[in-house]
Amino acid sequence: NSIVPAGMVDISFTVNNTGEETVTSFEASYEIDGYETVTETFETSLSPSSNKQFTFQTQAGLIAGTHNLKINIVSVNGADDAEQSNNSLTKEIKTYIKTIERTPMIEHFSSSTCQPCVGVDYAMMELTENNHGKYTYTKYPVNWPGLGDPYAIPDCIVRSDYYEVYTVPSIALDGQVKSSAITQSELDERFNSTSYVDIVGSFKVEGNTINVTADIISYIDMSDVRVFLSINEKTTTGNTGSNGMTEFHHIFMKMLGGNEGIVTRFNAGEYQRFAFSYDMTETNMEEIDDLEVAVWVQTYDSKEMHNSNYLNEYIE
């Protein structure tokens, strides 16, 4: 597999017989990162145009990180293979230290001027009410299809452009966009999938300033990822528009560190701290004691979501 736990790992491979004679034995070797070559002989009966999987008896000891595995066919039926061009295969393998429970990330694009958004909003409220602790949520107000949602800000449009969302309602669950409400089975599938990234931290409100600290540790190598920190208000009423709704939830206020995320990379077992202070009077905030901070880690190009979480509010 491309992702395996650190430690002793089985090395398996498949051999295709593209020749005209049955292979009764062959010698194969593997090397990790260009050294520690292991060579073994395999007895078999592999007829022409057939294939079979084999496993080395000697396991590879892999530390956490990223490794290059190379497998070579050394000889076939006790002699050099006449066709050498297909006797080698190289693959990158990432090893992880441990797995982490996943918290799915929900990014919801909606508008208080959008009539079709109403049913989806109510369905999402029911879903989240039945799944406390199983999601992270940020809702981005937009000013289409009709102008008038006063909480639609440029940061929201950056995220809609990123997902190529140009109609509402639209919802991205762990980076995958759909136009209907998330179902229980879809949320459960993401919640039960593996993650290797742990996100913890807290925020504290002092006056109208919010102080945020997020600690992120990855248990696998991750290159070219981005960290997002979103300040939301749990419930708002001031963005009431023309669709009949008078209350809105998880409403986006500010993206800390830039609306395109903080570019970084993680080595397995390494943690990084992200700390910010922001004056909330510069936002559409209604109640200073009604804030939440959502944090997620994402590969920007592929939109792969690695994990997310809410930060804890620090209250003296």
Side-chain angles (χ1 to χ4, degrees):
N1 293 326
S2 297
I3 299 177
V4 296
M8 303 307 294
V9 178
D10 283 334
I11 302 297
S12 299
F13 60 102
T14 298
V15 173
N16 299 296
N17 184 357
T18 61
E20 298 178 351
E21 298 179 9
T22 297
V23 175
T24 57
S25 70
F26 66 91
E27 193 176 30
S29 68
Y30 75 80
E31 56 187 62
I32 305 293
D33 300 328
Y35 60 93
E36 294 187 1
T37 299
V38 172
T39 303
E40 294 180 4
T41 299
F42 297 84
E43 304 293 336
T44 187
S45 179
L46 194 60
S47 58
S49 302
S50 64
N51 63 75
K52 186 178 180 181
Q53 187 179 76
F54 301 88
T55 301
F56 285 92
Q57 291 185 352
T58 304
Q59 292 181 308
L62 301 180
I63 62 173
T66 302
H67 304 279
N68 286 309
L69 166 66
K70 184 177 182 180
I71 295 179
N72 298 290
I73 302 297
V74 180
S75 64
V76 179
N77 292 340
D80 291 340
D81 188 4
E83 177 55 63
Q84 296 284 330
S85 64
N86 59 2
N87 284 14
S88 179
L89 186 67
T90 301
K91 181 177 184 177
E92 183 179 89
I93 297 175
K94 290 187 177 183
T95 53
Y96 62 87
I97 300 171
K98 68 175 183 178
T99 60
I100 296 294
E101 182 179 90
R102 176 180 291 275
T103 304
M105 182 65 203
I106 300 170
E107 296 178 88
H108 186 169
F109 299 87
S110 189
S111 172
S112 61
T113 66
C114 164
Q115 194 62 45
C117 293
V118 176
V120 172
D121 276 18
Y122 281 121
M124 291 301 297
M125 281 190 276
E126 181 180 359
L127 179 74
T128 53
E129 183 64 29
N130 293 332
N131 290 276
H132 289 293
K134 293 180 65 175
Y135 64 86
T136 312
Y137 203 130
T138 293
K139 183 185 285 186
Y140 306 102
V142 297
N143 55 8
W144 29 266
L147 297 175
D149 193 322
Y151 287 9
I153 61 174
D155 283 11
C156 298
I157 305 305
V158 170
R159 289 305 281 174
S160 68
D161 286 345
Y162 170 65
Y163 284 115
E164 298 181 344
V165 166
Y166 306 117
T167 60
V168 287
S170 291
I171 299 176
L173 173 61
D174 272 355
Q176 299 300 308
V177 179
K178 59 182 297 187
S179 59
S180 56
I182 296 167
T183 65
Q184 184 65 56
S185 61
E186 289 171 333
L187 183 66
D188 289 342
E189 181 181 0
R190 293 307 301 163
F191 181 78
N192 293 323
S193 63
T194 301
S195 174
Y196 309 99
V197 180
D198 198 10
I199 302 171
V200 297
S202 63
F203 69 93
K204 182 180 181 181
V205 172
E206 296 179 319
N208 285 320
T209 298
I210 185 171
N211 301 302
V212 176
T213 302
D215 290 327
I216 302 176
I217 183 170
S218 175
Y219 293 103
I220 194 170
D221 282 355
M222 293 196 306
S223 61
D224 193 25
V225 294
R226 302 196 187 193
V227 175
F228 294 86
L229 301 96
S230 165
I231 302 174
N232 311 326
E233 188 157 356
K234 296 176 185 177
T235 303
T236 63
T237 58
N239 49 327
T240 300
S242 58
N243 67 358
M245 295 191 69
T246 58
E247 185 175 285
F248 308 87
H249 303 281
H250 308 289
I251 296 300
F252 174 80
M253 294 287 156
K254 178 65 181 178
M255 192 75 79
L256 298 174
N259 53 28
E260 293 187 345
I262 303 164
V263 179
T264 188
R265 63 172 295 145
F266 290 90
N267 296 318
E270 172 187 271
Y271 98 93
Q272 296 179 32
R273 170 165 288 184
F274 302 85
F276 296 91
S277 293
Y278 194 78
D279 183 356
M280 293 301 295
T281 59
E282 300 180 16
T283 71
N284 291 312
M285 178 196 67
E286 297 175 10
E287 302 289 339
I288 190 67
D289 59 353
D290 191 39
L291 301 180
E292 63 186 11
V293 179
V295 181
W296 63 98
V297 180
Q298 188 172 27
T299 297
Y300 203 70
D301 290 342
S302 68
K303 297 180 173 57
E304 178 185 3
M305 194 71 67
H306 298 287
N307 212 353
S308 72
N309 211 351
Y310 284 127
L311 302 187
N312 296 315
E313 182 175 8
Y314 178 78
I315 302 176
E316 292 181 335

